[in-house]
Amino acid sequence: AQSVTQLDSQVPVFEEAPVELRCNYSSSVSVYLFWYVQYPNQGLQLLLKYLSGSTLVKGINGFEAEFNKSQTSFHLRKPSVHISDTAEYFCAVTTGANNLFFGTGTRLTVIP
Amino acid sequence: NAGVTQTPKFQVLKTGQSMTLQCAQDMNHNSMYWYRQDPGMGLRLIYYSASEGTTDKGEVPNGYNVSRLNKREFSLRLESAAPSQTSVYFCASSEKPSGDRAFFGQGTRLTVV
């Protein structure tokens, strides 16, 4: 079975500072990895995804993530955050067999 | 382009009442999903449907039933609501399950008293 662990439930960071949101997964087979963002009272939106190829994936709003197979990680980064980045971020994994498992989420709060 | 539409947005039920959450997508996607979101637990898959006419259980199917009425619509039914089913419910769809992005509805906030 697959699982996803997001190590930090809350991450406060000052505006224009860099941020890293951590995600680790476990699976005995190859996986596809995603980061989704949820703004208050809204559904989830895709930030970026890793399917294959380059391990550094760039997404929307200046976010990027790096797939590290040896460490089974897919951490999300942004070099300079804005107030508008305040949201909840979810890491997700699928093997492609109609399953999409989510982590418990990380609430990013950007402080002015 | 509406994407994924869920109704209702809010609902309060008494214990033991039944209701159906509706979901429709206009993207001609094959796969559809129902999730529930609870604080500190992320999103958990209740049921999914890989194509019209097929449904399968996810992580937390107990207390729920689903119907894939046609390619567009995927409904979730609570036959006898319980307080433990108080949650935010999200419907999602994707063209295919293998590595494809999922599009989410706005959610239904359900409270069972």
Side-chain angles (χ1 to χ4, degrees):
Chain A
Q2 297 76 43
S3 67
V4 179
T5 302
Q6 291 183 246
L7 298 167
D8 307 300
S9 59
Q10 298 189 59
V11 173
V13 62
F14 286 104
E15 191 174 16
E16 297 185 7
V19 69
E20 177 180 83
L21 306 183
R22 296 181 291 170
C23 172
N24 287 88
Y25 69 93
S26 66
S27 176
S28 58
V29 298
S30 296
V31 296
Y32 306 110
L33 294 155
F34 304 80
W35 276 99
Y36 284 84
V37 60
Q38 184 181 32
Y39 299 104
N41 299 313
Q42 294 189 27
L44 279 69
Q45 303 171 36
L46 182 70
L47 269 180
L48 48 80
K49 63 181 178 181
Y50 172 78
L51 304 183
S52 63
S54 173
T55 57
L56 183 63
V57 180
K58 293 190 184 297
I60 62 171
N61 300 340
F63 284 93
E64 63 181 32
E66 186 157 18
F67 172 60
N68 188 320
K69 188 174 182 180
S70 62
Q71 297 188 9
T72 60
S73 68
F74 190 55
H75 300 333
L76 181 71
R77 302 186 185 101
K78 186 170 182 177
S80 176
V81 295
H82 302 290
I83 295 290
S84 58
D85 293 323
T86 293
E88 188 141 21
Y89 293 79
F90 291 93
C91 183
V93 62
T94 180
T95 62
N98 265 310
N99 52 23
L100 183 60
F101 292 100
F102 286 84
T104 51
T106 297
R107 184 171 298 280
L108 173 65
T109 302
V110 180
I111 304 164
Chain B
N1 192 348
V4 179
T5 303
Q6 290 182 236
T7 55
K9 288 186 169 51
F10 301 93
Q11 183 71 48
V12 178
L13 289 179
K14 293 182 178 179
T15 298
Q17 286 186 316
S18 63
M19 80 160 295
T20 299
L21 280 63
Q22 306 287 352
C23 175
Q25 52 93 6
D26 61 3
M27 295 170 282
N28 203 37
H29 286 166
N30 287 309
S31 300
M32 296 186 75
Y33 312 83
W34 275 106
Y35 290 89
R36 59 177 290 173
Q37 183 179 26
D38 302 292
M41 302 189 77
L43 279 80
R44 292 180 292 170
L45 183 63
I46 305 171
Y47 271 94
Y48 63 91
S49 170
S51 61
E52 183 179 351
T54 67
T55 61
D56 286 285
K57 295 178 181 179
E59 301 171 74
V60 289
N62 291 345
Y64 305 95
N65 286 301
V66 291
S67 295
R68 184 75 183 266
L69 305 170
N70 47 54
K71 194 170 186 179
R72 288 188 66 247
E73 297 171 289
F74 188 39
S75 62
L76 178 72
R77 183 161 178 83
L78 286 71
E79 290 291 351
S80 179
S84 60
Q85 294 178 303
T86 293
S87 186
V88 181
Y89 291 85
F90 287 99
C91 177
S93 71
S94 63
E95 185 171 331
K96 55 186 185 298
S98 176
D100 203 23
R101 63 172 291 183
F103 291 80
F104 284 80
Q106 297 287 302
T108 296
R109 188 173 295 274
L110 176 67
T111 302
V112 183
V113 298

